[in-house]
Amino acid sequence: MKVILFIQFILVLGIAGDSIIKYQNSYSTIQVEADRKASFPGGAEKMNEWIKANLRAPIENVRYGIVRVEFTVNKSGKLSDFVIKKGINKDMDFAAIECLQGMPIWNPAIEQGKKVNQVVIIPVQFSPSEQE
């Protein structure tokens, strides 16, 4: 048990040492302390339009609701490390991740004049209008 806790502590130190800025509120799109937060090219409104245009719900096992997906915006603006923070079911969760993985390169976060990695959570909503 002590070994597992020690390994977890080392992993947390490793993450903190890599300048990853953690989110504070799991429902917000981006909620961090940074000089400039990571952002979708064109802003939040363009991101919502992009998601709406590219989100494809599965044909079977359709449910309505919100899937919250966490990912990292790397220093280069590329997206990685996709994780479901709150899902609906495996098919809907997969559709949300698949959609977000296709996003264009983001504008990276800036902290003290340097580009840094940033963890972001995006709520992806499935509603009856997207299923038509």
Side-chain angles (χ1 to χ4, degrees):
M1 183 67 170
K2 288 181 183 179
V3 174
I4 293 172
L5 292 175
F6 181 72
I7 291 171
Q8 288 175 337
F9 180 72
I10 290 174
L11 289 174
V12 170
L13 286 179
I15 290 172
D18 197 26
S19 299
I20 295 177
I21 302 171
K22 289 290 186 180
Y23 60 92
Q24 294 174 348
N25 180 337
S26 65
Y27 187 74
S28 295
T29 301
I30 302 172
Q31 189 63 252
V32 299
E33 298 298 321
D35 297 338
R36 188 182 84 194
K37 299 173 185 177
S39 62
F40 185 87
E45 189 174 317
K46 290 288 184 188
M47 179 182 66
N48 289 334
E49 290 173 13
W50 192 95
I51 291 172
K52 225 176 201 181
N54 292 282
L55 184 60
R56 302 289 176 254
I59 295 172
E60 297 179 11
N61 205 13
V62 175
R63 301 285 182 271
Y64 303 124
I66 296 174
V67 176
R68 291 191 185 103
V69 182
E70 176 185 277
F71 57 89
T72 300
V73 179
N74 297 319
K75 297 173 190 178
S76 64
K78 292 182 181 178
L79 310 182
S80 64
D81 306 326
F82 290 83
V83 176
I84 297 294
K85 296 306 278 186
K86 179 184 179 283
I88 298 173
N89 63 40
K90 67 178 184 171
D91 295 329
M92 304 302 283
D93 298 351
F94 178 78
I97 285 182
E98 188 175 51
C99 175
L100 298 183
Q101 285 177 332
M103 285 182 148
I105 292 178
W106 281 39
N107 303 313
I110 304 287
E111 179 65 34
Q112 297 178 353
K114 292 184 176 182
K115 294 179 181 179
V116 294
N117 296 343
Q118 182 177 37
V119 176
V120 176
I121 293 183
I122 300 288
V124 178
Q125 183 168 0
F126 290 91
S127 59
S129 60
E130 276 91 28
Q131 311 308 315
E132 300 173 331

